[in-house]
Amino acid sequence: MKGRLLSQGYEESSSEFDADIVIFNTCMVRETAERKIYGKMGQIHKKGKEGVQIALGGCVTQVKGEELYEKYTYVPLIFGSRNKHNIARQLEQISDSQRVIDLSFEDEDLEYALNASRDSEYTAFVEIMKGCNNYCSYCIVPFARGGELSNTPERVLAEIQDLLNRGFREIILLGQNVNSYGIPFTDGIQREIDFPELLKKILKFSDLFRLRFITSHPKDFNDELADIIAEEPKMAHSLHLPVQSGSNEVLKRMNRKYTREEYVGKIVSLREKLPDIALSTDMIFGFPGESEADFLRSVDLLKDIRYKTGFLFKYTPRAGTAAAEYEDNIPVEEKLRRLNYAIDIQKEITREIASDYIGTTQEVLFDGKDKTGKKISGRDTHDMIVVADFPDDYIGKVVRMKIYDGNSFTLFGRPENE
Ligand code: SAH
Ligand code: SF4
């Protein structure tokens, strides 16, 4: 959206309180994210620039746009989760007397993607598919984003070619379930290409340094994909494989369609092929009916697998999903106790894994400044952040770095031969 608006002559404001227009792109996955939006919106309405226009779009509006349109009469524009590319046109339609609500589903064109304003000049996200058909019982995404649709391979390859021509080195393919790539395509024309085939085509780009993807659903993660990650030198040695729970009972009620044993089996087999693969996961604590024993099975799985990173959440019901009909029988304090216990265990594992890097050498693609603005930072194949005392002209370069220090989130390195 930022890219489209900049290309239409809009300028970015230094603060949301100085802006003529403030756009909220909303997330509905968890209640906490949703709640924050309303508070922030009220703040901008009261303390923002005189006459500020607020536009509200994304997943929350896709699900409850009509209700919000009635409730927040000071918001002149409500758009959806699949028509963000029309933002400039929608903004033109609003006036003092005209409010707009547009929740239509439309696919954005290649031009929209090519105009994207990106944070990094070397690492780029490329959306290959959108939506989800999996209906995990806790999850609002299938309702908020609609069914699965893939961008055509012609479009994906053209976008990547353009990025590589502009000097990008690393591509991260995006989709709620990348394994479903190709069924069906946005243009309705069937092609004989699936996700592994798409990866192979992208890996042929000679200017590409590294390729990653998120997210792969464990039920669809297979040997073919494991082989590509293990054998193709440009594939990153990192994989996000969200498990959600370590208990088969809970997995079943979550409608995840795999058992703990099947999940662990896939990881064991991948680790046999590629021992240094760095794994990350998502887990939900306090799902309806999660017993103490179920909870301990999740904790036990964290200890067994030893993920590099765990994104751990407390369950919040989302109206309209199947689990919202289950009795939410775990008090919030208990959900938090379980969550915090698991977070402490994961923190320790993350810290231990990071400390194992000290003394090793990693190939790092530097792609920007670090948080202090004084050093530069990049990532290695395991998605570890490595910071170095280099001049800015190292940004965009790949350097073999010897790691001499680190904490859970950041490693510090110097060139291997120094
Ligand atoms: N498509 C991705 C993730 C989508 S949502 C996948 O299938 O893995 C990101 C994460 O949010 C999920 O993996 C899940 O752990 C968490 N999440 C989704 N709905 C939730 C809910 N109702 N309560 C708490 N966490 C939730
Ligand atoms: Fe949600 Fe499940 Fe789809 Fe992921 S796979 S987006 S968790 S429904």
Side-chain angles (χ1 to χ4, degrees), residues 29-30 138-141 175-177 215 217 240 242 244 256 282-284 311 313-318:
V29 168
R30 283 171 297 276
Y138 51 80
C139 185
I140 196 72
V141 170
Q176 292 295 346
N177 181 16
T215 301
H217 193 300
H240 184 59
Q244 313 298 358
R256 287 293 283 181
D282 296 347
M283 252 196 206
I284 298 176
F311 301 93
F313 310 109
K314 116 177 139 7
Y315 170 73
T316 50
R318 308 280 54 212

Side-chain angles (χ1 to χ4, degrees), residues 332-397:
V332 65
E333 307 77 56
E334 176 58 13
K335 285 180 184 161
L336 283 170
R337 181 194 67 86
R338 293 182 190 182
L339 174 66
N340 289 328
Y341 184 85
I343 287 177
D344 283 346
I345 301 236
Q346 181 56 46
K347 264 192 194 157
E348 183 57 18
I349 296 172
T350 297
R351 199 191 56 74
E352 284 168 12
I353 291 180
S355 72
D356 285 347
Y357 278 83
I358 298 172
T360 66
T361 297
Q362 307 294 333
E363 219 170 33
V364 179
L365 166 60
F366 286 98
D367 69 346
K369 296 272 209 185
D370 78 337
K371 274 189 243 142
T372 65
K374 292 186 185 130
K375 297 182 183 212
I376 67 167
S377 119
R379 285 176 194 259
D380 79 344
T381 186
H382 308 119
D383 212 20
M384 295 294 292
I385 297 173
V386 181
V387 166
D389 237 332
F390 281 158
D392 286 4
D393 55 4
Y394 272 83
I395 298 176
K397 295 204 164 76

